[in-house]
Amino acid sequence: MRTLCTLASTATIALVACFAGSAAAKTVVTMNTVQIFGTIDPAKISDYTDYMSAVNLYDSLTTVDPTGKIIPELAESWTVSNDAKEVTYKIRADAKFSDGTPVEAKDVVYSFERLFRINQGPANLFADILTPGSVVAVDDKTVKFTLAKTFAPFLATVPAVFIVNSDVVEANKGSDDAQAYLGSTVAGAGAYKLVEWDRGARMTIERDPNYYKGFGKGPIDEVRWIITNDEATVRSLAASGELTMTSQYQSPETYKALADMGRFNVVSEPTTTAFYLKLNTKVPPTDDVHIRRALALATDYQTIREVILPGGELTTPLPAGFADFHADDVPAPKYDLEAAKAEIARSKYAGSEIPITLGYVAGTKFEEEISLLMQSNLEQLGFKVTQQADPWNRVTEITTKVETTPAVNQIFFGPTYPSPDSMFFTQYHSKSAGTWASAEWLQDPAIDALIDEARSTADVARQTVIYKDLQRKLAEIQPDVFLMTQTVQHAMDKCLTGFKAVPMQSFDYDFTRYSWTCN
């Protein structure tokens, strides 16, 4: 980060002239991301960059703190009926959109109704739970949700839906329910306003001085995201003084190089984000459980976690950070090529060369290294490996169809909301099939039934039993290779503080939580 008076000029970011006098200087944070921002439409957001922008440009009724606790945002309070089927939110009196108009219950109703119509992004969180007409305005500042059935994680899912200004959006509705409009324009109550968005290169947002919640000491006036997954470019940006904060997906060599510059701290925290090899259970050869188990046994976990990408042990689909629900009795996966050979011998592909495609995100060095390590191990077992590197936007496209989803995909997935349900429903339920998060194409009725049962009971003890059973069953049928839990790392300018991992997708990058501590 630099003030505008000291920010260097390069081809990546144009020099911004500063006003005379230090009082006029802005606090600017420049951060790189390794993938593009796919959309800023709150009804369509799905991955970490989408949420990274949305959590700054929009507000929801509630948000999440680093402990996973639901805390007020647009809503100042909420009440839940005894049967947990009605939830009523009271909107704070001073809540305003960026154009100065008040946030009202009608805007909440409109935002959810639009979400149901478009049926993308976070809409699947509410499948069979909320329907058109389920959200009603009691008065200007009170909105009531009536659930079709008990849904244990409901309060935890609400922060995923950001509220739009209904009057502005309706006026620009067009023929596509304002998808074109909100694909390039913001109509929210967030702390920041959109300044620039070049989809493949950068995004810039600036602080709204009239934000209804205000800001703390040392606020960040402007955030600039540069999209690059090239390690040399990241190091160059840091050396030039432009980069304030790296993405969480840099190589160990880049973190070390920036730390050696003296201007950066490398901060790290354990997370509930998991890193998987997602195995397409509907295409050869990963349609055979013995091949899937062989892949798990052919994975050199220690080298991956200790050399290629630091991370924690992942023994089931659910990270151990969900301690109360974690099945501790499931043994850790092991690297054993002889046991892998035995599994292959039990498969329908035994006795012949086995073609397999390993997919990963193009330009991501550590994913390429993992894929090459897997290739080396699999070729010893008789596999014929094809490497398939695709940019992230292509990955999200090809995983919408079972036949174009590679047999193996490297995917990070963390909780979209702070509940185990987020890890199970979004990845493994049949209703979630057709997204990058569910590239397993599992579609297993028995798994669906367990997920549905956990969602429909408010009895936490019963939920715990179900979630542990789910983990045991999923470990048995092996729709994924459980690589690790992510240890999130950022190289950050020593003057920038406020990063704290949050168990909800990209809520850690709400820049109202950050401060610049240097004069």
Side-chain angles (χ1 to χ4, degrees), residues 1 7 22 28 37 58 77 250 255 266 290 331 342 372 401 415 459 492 494:
M1 174 274 172
L7 183 64
S22 61
V28 179
F37 294 84
Y58 288 90
S77 63
Q250 304 308 142
Y255 289 122
V266 177
H290 297 291
L372 290 172
K401 297 180 180 179
D459 183 343
M492 294 174 59
K494 291 180 178 179

Side-chain angles (χ1 to χ4, degrees), residues 60-102:
S60 183
L61 287 170
T62 55
T63 188
V64 180
D65 74 8
T67 70
K69 181 182 177 182
I70 308 300
I71 57 176
E73 195 161 68
L74 290 169
E76 63 183 9
S77 63
W78 53 94
T79 57
V80 182
S81 65
N82 290 336
D83 63 2
K85 290 184 179 180
E86 288 187 356
V87 183
T88 304
Y89 290 87
K90 190 72 174 178
I91 300 170
R92 54 189 287 172
D94 60 349
K96 290 182 173 60
F97 290 110
S98 59
D99 66 358
T101 59

Side-chain angles (χ1 to χ4, degrees), residues 285-306:
T286 45
D287 58 344
D288 189 305
V289 68
H290 297 291
I291 295 296
R292 299 198 297 270
R293 291 172 183 165
L295 290 172
L297 289 162
T299 301
D300 186 346
Y301 302 94
Q302 183 174 357
T303 297
I304 292 171
R305 291 199 297 252
E306 296 181 8

Side-chain angles (χ1 to χ4, degrees), residues 193-205:
K193 297 182 178 182
L194 182 66
V195 175
E196 177 194 19
W197 180 25
D198 179 342
R199 189 179 299 269
R202 64 180 62 85
M203 179 183 286
T204 302
I205 60 175

Side-chain angles (χ1 to χ4, degrees), residues 21-330:
S22 61
K26 287 183 178 180
T27 300
V28 179
V29 165
T30 301
M31 176 182 177
N32 78 291
T33 72
V34 301
Q35 68 185 45
I36 68 170
F37 294 84
T39 182
I40 56 172
D41 186 336
K44 300 171 76 172
I45 55 177
S46 66
D47 61 27
Y48 97 92
T49 45
D50 295 351
Y51 273 93
M52 186 185 292
S53 59
V55 76
N56 288 285
L57 298 171
Y58 288 90
D59 277 1
S60 183
L61 287 170
T62 55
T63 188
V64 180
D65 74 8
T67 70
K69 181 182 177 182
I70 308 300
I71 57 176
E73 195 161 68
L74 290 169
E76 63 183 9
S77 63
W78 53 94
T79 57
V80 182
S81 65
N82 290 336
D83 63 2
K85 290 184 179 180
E86 288 187 356
V87 183
T88 304
Y89 290 87
K90 190 72 174 178
I91 300 170
R92 54 189 287 172
D94 60 349
K96 290 182 173 60
F97 290 110
S98 59
D99 66 358
T101 59
V103 178
E104 297 181 341
K106 68 175 184 178
D107 301 300
V108 179
V109 174
Y110 187 93
S111 299
F112 275 86
E113 292 285 347
R114 180 174 180 270
L115 178 68
F116 302 150
R117 291 193 300 269
I118 293 174
N119 197 30
Q120 296 183 39
N124 72 334
L125 303 181
F126 307 101
D128 301 326
I129 306 301
L130 293 176
T131 56
S134 296
V135 187
V136 298
V138 177
D139 57 42
D140 285 350
K141 289 293 183 177
T142 309
V143 61
K144 183 173 72 173
F145 294 76
T146 301
L147 282 56
K149 56 187 176 183
T150 300
F151 177 46
F154 179 74
L155 293 179
T157 63
V158 170
V161 181
F162 295 97
I163 306 306
V164 302
N165 186 326
S166 60
D167 291 336
V168 171
V169 176
E170 184 64 20
N172 294 276
K173 186 175 182 179
S175 60
D176 65 350
D177 219 336
Q179 292 183 63
Y181 179 74
L182 289 180
S184 60
T185 308
V186 177
Y192 289 82
K193 297 182 178 182
L194 182 66
V195 175
E196 177 194 19
W197 180 25
D198 179 342
R199 189 179 299 269
R202 64 180 62 85
M203 179 183 286
T204 302
I205 60 175
E206 66 179 4
R207 181 166 69 95
D208 181 355
N210 299 314
Y211 179 51
Y212 70 97
K213 287 174 62 178
F215 295 85
K217 187 177 181 181
I220 308 305
D221 294 312
E222 187 168 290
V223 180
R224 299 172 177 178
W225 287 293
I226 301 171
I227 301 163
T228 179
N229 55 17
D230 181 73
E231 302 288 347
T233 300
V234 174
R235 293 193 289 270
S236 177
L237 289 168
S240 73
E242 292 184 17
L243 194 72
T244 315
M245 179 177 178
T246 68
S247 82
Q248 69 269 50
Y249 297 119
Q250 304 308 142
S251 70
E253 293 81 5
T254 293
Y255 289 122
K256 183 179 185 305
L258 268 62
D260 289 345
M261 292 178 187
R263 182 166 66 89
F264 294 91
N265 289 323
V266 177
V267 298
S268 63
E269 289 194 7
T271 73
T272 50
T273 294
F275 189 25
Y276 309 91
L277 298 184
K278 288 182 175 282
L279 311 179
N280 186 342
T281 62
K282 297 295 190 293
V283 300
T286 45
D287 58 344
D288 189 305
V289 68
H290 297 291
I291 295 296
R292 299 198 297 270
R293 291 172 183 165
L295 290 172
L297 289 162
T299 301
D300 186 346
Y301 302 94
Q302 183 174 357
T303 297
I304 292 171
R305 291 199 297 252
E306 296 181 8
V307 179
I308 298 177
L309 183 69
E313 187 176 70
L314 182 67
T315 60
T316 81
L318 187 70
F322 289 98
D324 292 343
F325 303 98
H326 190 261
D328 296 333
D329 58 331
V330 176

